[in-house]
Every structure is written in C-alpha cells, then in structure tokens.
Amino acid sequence: MVTNISKILSNAFSHSIALSLFGDDNSCELPNSLIKFYNKKINPNTILDKELVKSIDLHDKINWGIIEKNKAIRILARDISLLERIDIEELKISTADLYPIFIQHPELIHEFVEDFDKITPLEAIRLLECNEDLIDYIDITKYKFNKNDMSEMVKKFIFSKRIMERLDLSSLEHFSTRKLICKTGVDYIDRLNISQLKASDWIEILEQHPELIEYCNLSIFENNDCYLLTKLVMNFPEIDYLIIKNADKISALGWENLINEDIERYQDICRWEKFTESNWSKVLRKHPQLSSVKQKYYIF
C-alpha cells in the first residue's frame, strides 16, 4: 500500500513539474542547477499523452530514452514528428504493435516493414487493415490462419474480393460460414464447406436468401423431431413431401405450427394424438372448428 501511494505521488509530481515549469504556457527562466534537478524528476510515462504532445517546449527537456513501448506508440499515433526523438528499434516494437501508427500513416508501412515475407499472420491482418493494396506484397496463401484469425479476416475483408479470393474459405467453422453466406449470398458458396452447416444455419440463411435452397442438403432436416423441418416447409411449401415422409417423427409443436400455418394442407395428415392441452389451446384459438377433432383424439 505504501509503495503504491509513493508511486502515485511520484507520478503526480513528475506530471505537475513538467507542465508547470516547462509547458508551453508556463515556461519560465530557471537556474541551470534547478533545470538539471527537475529534469531528473520528469518521467514522460507519467504525463498525459495529449499534454506530452502539445507541450513542445517540454520535448527538449525530458529523457525520451525511458519512454515505455505502449506510451511511445500512442504518442507517435498523435504526432509522427516525434519519431525523431523516439528510438523504435530500441523499444523492440513489432509490426503488429505499430498498427495504431500505420492506421493513421499508412505511407510509413514500407519504411518500417523491410520484408513482407517475414511478417506473422497477425501482422499480415493488421497491415491489410491499414492498406488493402498491400495484398500485392503479402502472400496470405502461405499462412495457416487459426480459426479465430480466419473469422477475423472474413469479418474485416468481406467486401474486398482481392483479399477474399486468396483465403481458404473452406476452413471456416459453420457459424462463420453461415454469416458469410448471409452477407454475400452465392458469391463464395462454391468455395465454402457447406456440408458442415446445421439445419439451424440453413434456416437463417434461407430467410435472407431463399434462392439458395438448391444448395441445401434437405436430409439434415429429417433428424430428431423435425421441428426445423416444419419451419422450413412453412417458407417452402413445395417441399412438403418431406412432411408426409416424416409425419411420425414430427413433434406436437411442429404439427401445431403447421396447422396454424395451413390447416387445409395438413389437417388430414396431422398426428393429432401427439397434441397436449397446450397445443390444443393454441390451435383452437385460431381454428375453433377443430374442437370436434380434439374430442376424438385428446384424452383428458
């Protein structure tokens, strides 16, 4: 606790001294002995970024050699001219670390990145974010991006065909594949592993792109209680032959939805015996004429 308080007071003293004695608005003549004394007390890491940048008179009076890496990056992102005072190589800043600077000054990328063949997958992503034209220098086909990196790449560059055409889209997981199809429709579907898509994925996809029904493996809707099959058929009545085929599998909730959607189409094949009081209550609210059917099938 005492150490923390001491550090807080030291930082506050450094910040106060720097701005009070050497700030642009408060600069004053001091004896050299005092200047040397106070210079030793000023730590650039304790001064607010915006104050450090704008206090030009202060720049000659602090030791830039002790500035911390993250502080240096933030400062340079605000004022790139301070690059003359900050030794990037000494701080061992990676290409990915320089992202905040490159996003503001993409023209500096070629100055700092000497060999694009040696950058990491993360650095490749960050550089392309700054300037998509760097795809001419970065061979992203050589990288084996992990699942998270691939998802990030697709999310960031989904509308850049130059980049998307060089990604291995078949390696995406089902949820990323679903999102990509929902946003781009048929554009990349031939390069995706759509066999991994679940019935719930297709429901979401087809709600936005019904024309993609031809790519859907309908057999995945025939599993378990076929509830999602009933939702699909309500949007695509032309495939209701699957309802007939799987009539005995369909749950009470599935039949309830079908009857409420189109009683004429499904009344004769409905498995009424599966209905509970809750199902009957909802169906009769919309179709009261079915009360006689309830009396026949529902055992109290």
Side-chain angles (χ1 to χ4, degrees):
M1 182 68 178
V2 174
T3 302
N4 290 338
I5 293 176
S6 176
K7 183 177 180 180
I8 291 172
L9 291 175
S10 177
N11 290 345
F13 178 76
S14 171
H15 178 84
S16 178
I17 287 297
L19 298 183
S20 298
L21 299 182
F22 302 112
D24 292 343
D25 298 330
N26 302 305
S27 57
C28 58
E29 294 295 330
L30 292 175
N32 288 334
S33 57
L34 283 180
I35 291 178
K36 291 181 180 180
F37 172 77
Y38 286 126
N39 276 352
K40 295 178 181 179
K41 301 296 182 181
I42 297 175
N43 182 344
N45 300 301
T46 67
I47 304 173
L48 292 176
D49 295 352
K50 64 178 181 179
E51 298 292 349
L52 183 56
V53 169
K54 76 175 185 179
S55 301
I56 298 176
D57 286 354
L58 180 62
H59 294 173
D60 291 327
K61 301 178 177 65
I62 60 176
N63 180 11
W64 293 98
I66 63 172
I67 194 168
E68 297 172 355
K69 181 174 73 172
N70 291 337
K71 182 75 169 183
I73 293 171
R74 296 198 306 272
I75 291 300
L76 291 172
R78 286 176 175 267
D79 186 353
I80 196 62
S81 68
L82 291 174
L83 193 59
E84 298 177 356
R85 300 177 180 274
I86 299 174
D87 189 343
I88 293 292
E89 293 185 3
E90 183 68 24
L91 291 172
K92 297 180 180 180
I93 297 177
S94 70
T95 300
D97 291 332
L98 291 171
Y99 170 73
I101 299 174
F102 290 156
I103 201 71
Q104 297 291 333
H105 304 280
E107 71 278 2
L108 295 177
I109 293 176
H110 286 281
E111 181 176 334
F112 284 95
V113 183
E114 297 179 356
D115 190 347
F116 287 96
D117 289 331
K118 294 181 179 180
I119 62 177
T120 67
L122 177 60
E123 290 172 342
I125 295 173
R126 293 291 177 261
L127 290 177
L128 289 171
E129 279 187 90
C130 299
N131 185 355
E132 291 184 8
D133 289 338
L134 290 175
I135 193 64
D136 294 331
Y137 300 90
I138 301 173
D139 181 13
I140 59 175
T141 61
K142 72 177 184 178
Y143 295 115
K144 292 184 178 180
F145 292 107
N146 61 42
K147 295 176 181 179
N148 290 334
D149 286 342
M150 270 300 297
S151 295
E152 184 179 358
M153 288 283 282
V154 170
K155 182 178 179 181
K156 292 181 182 298
F157 306 113
I158 191 169
F159 298 114
S160 174
K161 289 190 175 182
R162 295 177 64 197
I163 295 177
M164 292 291 288
E165 68 185 6
R166 305 187 194 192
L167 294 175
D168 178 16
L169 300 180
S170 65
S171 66
L172 290 171
E173 292 188 318
H174 78 93
F175 54 85
S176 295
T177 298
R178 179 191 70 234
K179 290 180 180 179
L180 179 57
I181 296 175
C182 284
K183 289 184 178 181
T184 63
V186 74
D187 290 357
Y188 301 106
I189 202 164
D190 291 333
R191 295 174 51 212
L192 294 165
N193 179 15
I194 61 175
S195 64
Q196 66 178 321
L197 292 173
K198 305 177 187 299
S200 57
D201 295 321
W202 276 112
I203 290 292
E204 183 177 339
I205 290 170
L206 294 173
E207 284 178 351
Q208 300 181 48
H209 300 282
E211 72 280 4
L212 298 183
I213 185 69
E214 62 178 288
Y215 293 93
C216 178
N217 176 14
L218 297 177
S219 65
I220 63 177
F221 286 88
E222 299 182 66
N223 300 323
N224 303 318
D225 66 1
C226 297
Y227 173 71
L228 290 178
L229 174 61
T230 65
K231 292 190 66 176
L232 181 68
V233 170
M234 284 190 283
N235 291 324
F236 298 92
E238 66 272 17
I239 60 172
D240 68 349
Y241 63 87
L242 291 174
I243 296 298
I244 300 173
K245 177 182 177 183
N246 296 279
D248 291 332
K249 289 185 189 177
I250 296 174
S251 66
L253 179 58
W255 280 117
E256 174 193 314
N257 291 335
L258 288 172
I259 291 298
N260 281 333
E261 177 72 16
D262 192 339
I263 187 173
E264 296 297 328
R265 184 185 290 265
Y266 300 112
Q267 182 174 0
D268 292 340
I269 62 173
C270 180
R271 298 306 191 254
W272 300 106
E273 65 274 12
K274 293 187 175 185
F275 275 32
T276 65
E277 180 62 33
S278 175
N279 301 129
W280 280 115
S281 175
K282 295 174 183 176
V283 166
L284 290 174
R285 193 177 303 143
K286 185 172 184 179
H287 304 290
Q289 72 273 22
L290 292 176
S291 58
S292 60
V293 178
K294 176 184 178 181
Q295 293 175 4
K296 180 179 179 181
Y297 287 97
Y298 185 60
I299 301 175
F300 295 92

